[in-house]
Amino acid sequence: MSERGRKIAVALGVLCMLATLVFASTSCLVDRKTKEFACATTADCSDNRVCTGGFCIPGIEPPDAPADGPECPAQCETCDLVLQTCTVDCSVADNCNDVTCPAGFACDITCSGNACDNIDCSAATSCTVTCDGSNACANVTCGPGTCDVTCTGNQACEIVDCKDSCECDVDCDAGNDCQAALCPAPTGGPGDCTDGTPAGCDSTPATCKRMCP
């Protein structure tokens, strides 16, 4: 082989070695990155990534993602982000302060004696509130959606304000269960949206039913 041929052969050999090293290095990096972004759930990801197809990728949580745990609004014990429902469990005395149903959610709120302060459902699509026990809740404020409030126990509720609700039922029939209830006005004609007690509302009369949002 000529001197020139030997030089060309050596150069080709060096190039092949360099190519092999680069490929091996790149393969290691890819493998390391692949393992770094592998996941089982979104909780395994960081930097606002979500777990999709076994890997953490940037993006928005898919609509069929599990809707519980840290993905729920802070007020909700459990929730469904697809159906926009929220459960607030304040069944231990003094374990909740003011409770606000997240905007656009339908809330189911339960408070035992002395568990809750004011309950705000003014931005909710609907609220079902159970105040069970003495001083379980303070004031309850409903929004334009349906509102169903049950107060059981001495001063279980103070004032229940659902005058802006499309349909409202408030059960405060016994003794001093509630101070007062502000019920929706009838839509026209004869009728009364109270249940005949100073602190009760009734949505069953035809003039007390509206188109709910």
Side-chain angles (χ1 to χ4, degrees):
M1 181 183 293
S2 67
E3 183 66 23
R4 181 180 179 187
R6 282 196 297 272
K7 290 181 178 180
I8 293 174
V10 170
L12 289 174
V14 171
L15 288 174
C16 287
M17 290 178 61
L18 288 173
T20 301
L21 290 172
V22 169
F23 177 77
S25 174
T26 304
S27 297
C28 290
L29 288 172
V30 170
D31 183 59
R32 192 157 55 245
K33 285 294 185 182
T34 299
K35 291 179 180 177
E36 179 182 344
F37 291 109
C39 62
T41 68
T42 296
D44 298 329
C45 304
S46 59
D47 300 326
N48 295 318
R49 293 173 180 266
V50 296
C51 187
T52 301
F55 296 96
C56 298
I57 63 171
I60 300 173
E61 190 75 13
D64 58 348
D68 52 18
E71 298 160 357
C72 290
Q75 288 279 9
C76 306
E77 191 80 16
T78 59
C79 74
D80 187 317
L81 296 179
V82 177
L83 299 177
Q84 297 282 276
T85 60
C86 167
T87 300
V88 181
D89 184 5
C90 300
S91 56
V92 179
D94 301 315
N95 73 327
C96 293
N97 296 311
D98 289 343
V99 177
T100 301
C101 181
F105 276 71
C107 284
D108 190 337
I109 301 169
T110 301
C111 300
S112 65
N114 297 299
C116 300
D117 292 330
N118 296 314
I119 296 175
D120 185 357
C121 290
S122 58
T125 56
S126 68
C127 262
T128 299
V129 182
T130 301
C131 301
D132 188 4
S134 297
N135 303 299
C137 307
N139 296 322
V140 179
T141 303
C142 302
T146 58
C147 195
D148 190 343
V149 183
T150 301
C151 304
T152 306
N154 184 48
Q155 296 184 351
C157 302
E158 294 181 11
I159 298 174
V160 179
D161 182 354
C162 62
K163 64 180 181 295
D164 296 325
S165 299
C166 58
E167 294 180 13
C168 178
D169 291 278
V170 179
D171 183 2
C172 297
D173 291 344
N176 296 319
D177 286 358
C178 303
Q179 290 184 14
L182 306 178
C183 306
T187 56
D192 189 350
C193 299
T194 68
D195 67 355
T197 66
C201 301
D202 184 6
S203 69
T204 57
T207 55
C208 298
K209 293 183 178 293
R210 299 162 173 79
M211 183 67 69
C212 292

